[in-house]
Amino acid sequence: MNRPNAPWLKYFGNIPATLDYPQGSMYEAIREAWEKNFHGNANMPAYKFQGKATSHKQFFNKVDDIAKAFMALGIGKGDKVTICMPNAPQGVDAFYALNRISAVPAMIHPLSAAGEIKFYVENSNSKAILVLDMFYEKVLEALKDVNYPVKVIVARIQDELPFPLNTLYPLTVKKKPAPLPKDNENVISWHDFLAGAKKTKKLPVSFPGKDDTAVILFSGGTTGISKGIELTNMNMNALGYQVANAAGFPVKGLSMFSVMPLFHGFGLGVGIHTAMICAATCILIPQFTIKTYAKDVLKYKPNVIVGVPTLFEALLRTEGFNGADLSFLRGVFCGGDSLSVELKKKVDAFLKEHNATIQIREGYGTTECVTASCLTPYDFFREGSIGIPFPDTYYQIVDPKNDTEVPYGTEGEICICGPTVMKGYLDNAEETAATLRTHSDGNVWLHTGDLGTMDEDGFIYYKQRLKRLIIVSGFNVYPSQVENTIDAHPDVLLSCAIGIPDPYKMHKVKAFVVLRPGVEPSDKIKEEILEHCRKNISKHAMPREIEFRTELPKTLVGKVAYRQLEEEEEAKAKAKQEAKEAEKEQNKTEE
């Protein structure tokens, strides 16, 4: 357990064991940071988007106007609003505007399927949803089955682009968004939405409290069914302070490469809020592609890059960094999935070759505590470790059978206690009780569902997941959700989804499907299953392979033996790699 005199604190240098956190709202914390660090300097940019800078002063003015516009729509204290946006200014502005009026944003993936959007809106009881024009038709389709009216606010990317990009952008879009319907009073353009701010003269004089819900993020619970995770203002602010101190961010004028998405705890908590709470500049990247990655990094010269292993694997593959000087980098941080020892070595070598004086540092966490809760120390790496707990964050490795703490070096479930641990699952007391448990020490501990160990110096080692989970490009995919969707097809008897290795995404989803008696496998049925999945699960959860079988292996108690299927795929991948290496050797011999 992490204590003020814990031996591992020496690896973090001068970082204190405990911190003083803001006692109010997210909005108050970031405003205070700007005023304290830059004394209200009007020119310091809060974020940059496609080359257009928005100063902190402009940003707070926009936030206040949007807050008034939400009030004009009838949004008030405790009301929920779904934000279905990429990393674009309207999404960031709306996130803090809702906090300004004590309302609660629920963040979701803009590529969510219609069925998922319906679930998210109903689960959070959202009164409105903010979405880009290119996705709004899908939102309308999702809302057809919602039995209460939901306001749909439609934003456009070009409205935030600098000239002449704002005029050229529509010409680059292959599929033009449909015009907004004139006969639907619940669909509002961003322009008309902002015009409503004029109807509201004053903003509330009070702000949400530290223990009030600040944001809802969605993740699977212990059952694999998606849950709304309630995170408080304290959760978010504490995360920002912890990351800033452990990572060494409190340096004026830093810039953050904000490429991880808003709906992701890592992207929102570190890529946006940590940067804002340090009065740093967010460089908003709405969509990550290998082609533009190097170009954007070299153009904007961010001091800090955060991402999942996929992003750093892409860094090594692109030719855009050939001969580039990356000495402007002050920190490179990886989370969302395990960073292999080999990938770390390759990234560290790449950074050194390009004049960067830092190494990639790995963090570990879960959305139930916003995101990261520990980090590998600066310039120190203990192989296989995911790092040391943040200030004020306690780790315990327990026996999953009885929640008792196990000795150093013994494998058990990773549990976390600290100021970033969630308030609970939205309207789900049973799931909350299964995840947040009071141990014999009297403290409430977050059970992560991950197995790991702790050494005598307090370094944490992640081993494997206690529950089934597939991580695709850093995003959690719950096999049960994929299986439930596939099983809903009328011709399917049974299915099993597993993760298989992928050279780019680290893993991808493969589904094994048993059809009903009398139904023969065909490309037509495979496409029908895939189309059904597209309507009900998000893009990263889509099966990339479907294999039809007459039966699936079973355990002794009759459950599908998914681990056997995983082992079969691992054996195939190994045989394929060995054959590839043998072919290389053969070619060398022949030469």
Side-chain angles (χ1 to χ4, degrees), residues 394-425:
Y394 297 76
Y395 266 63
Q396 213 178 56
I397 309 298
V398 305
D399 185 332
K401 297 177 183 177
N402 54 28
D403 294 351
T404 56
E405 192 168 8
V406 299
Y408 290 129
T410 304
E411 186 173 292
E413 184 177 8
I414 299 173
C415 296
I416 302 169
C417 179
T420 64
V421 170
M422 67 173 181
K423 186 176 183 177
Y425 292 113

Side-chain angles (χ1 to χ4, degrees), residues 81-257:
V81 174
T82 296
I83 295 181
C84 182
M85 294 285 291
N87 291 12
Q90 297 99 323
V92 176
D93 297 343
F95 172 73
Y96 287 107
L98 290 166
N99 188 250
R100 174 67 183 84
I101 60 173
S102 300
V104 181
M107 317 300 287
I108 71 170
H109 198 322
L111 296 181
S112 298
E116 290 178 310
I117 294 172
K118 173 183 179 292
F119 171 82
Y120 296 141
V121 169
E122 289 185 326
N123 187 258
S124 61
N125 194 30
S126 287
K127 295 177 69 173
I129 181 169
L130 171 63
V131 64
L132 272 187
D133 54 359
M134 63 184 72
F135 303 122
Y136 94 89
E137 289 180 287
K138 178 174 60 178
V139 167
L140 290 186
E141 179 187 345
L143 296 180
K144 285 179 182 178
D145 297 324
V146 176
N147 61 6
Y148 65 90
V150 179
K151 297 289 185 182
V152 180
I153 306 162
V154 183
R156 305 189 310 167
I157 284 287
Q158 59 260 45
D159 290 342
E160 290 289 344
L161 295 174
F163 180 82
L165 282 180
N166 56 351
T167 56
L168 296 175
Y169 175 80
L171 303 177
T172 66
V173 179
K174 294 180 181 179
K175 184 181 178 182
K176 301 292 188 290
L180 300 190
K182 296 180 180 179
D183 58 346
N184 191 336
E185 62 180 13
N186 287 322
V187 180
I188 312 162
S189 72
W190 182 255
H191 180 271
D192 290 341
F193 167 69
L194 289 180
K198 297 175 183 177
K199 302 175 185 177
T200 306
K201 293 183 179 180
K202 292 184 178 180
L203 286 166
V205 294
S206 61
F207 296 91
K210 65 176 184 178
D211 296 323
D212 290 337
T213 301
V215 62
I216 295 169
L217 299 179
F218 287 92
S219 179
T222 56
T223 61
I225 299 171
S226 189
K227 298 288 185 293
I229 297 169
E230 290 190 86
L231 298 169
T232 66
N233 287 278
M234 174 56 82
N235 292 157
M236 296 295 291
N237 290 336
L239 183 277
Y241 269 51
Q242 289 179 344
V243 171
N245 279 272
F249 285 175
V251 179
K252 290 183 180 180
L254 285 181
S255 59
M256 172 84 75
F257 198 60

Side-chain angles (χ1 to χ4, degrees), residues 33 36 183 189 230 244 295 318 320 538:
K36 179 181 177 182
D183 58 346
S189 72
E230 290 190 86
K295 180 182 176 183
T318 180
S538 47

Side-chain angles (χ1 to χ4, degrees), residues 483-517:
E483 292 160 359
N484 290 340
T485 301
I486 293 174
D487 292 350
H489 189 282
D491 290 331
V492 173
L493 179 66
L494 182 67
S495 67
C496 180
I498 66 169
I500 61 174
D502 181 83
Y504 174 54
K505 298 177 182 293
M506 309 307 284
H507 294 93
K508 61 184 178 183
V509 179
K510 178 173 181 177
F512 296 86
V513 177
V514 177
L515 298 173
R516 292 189 180 279

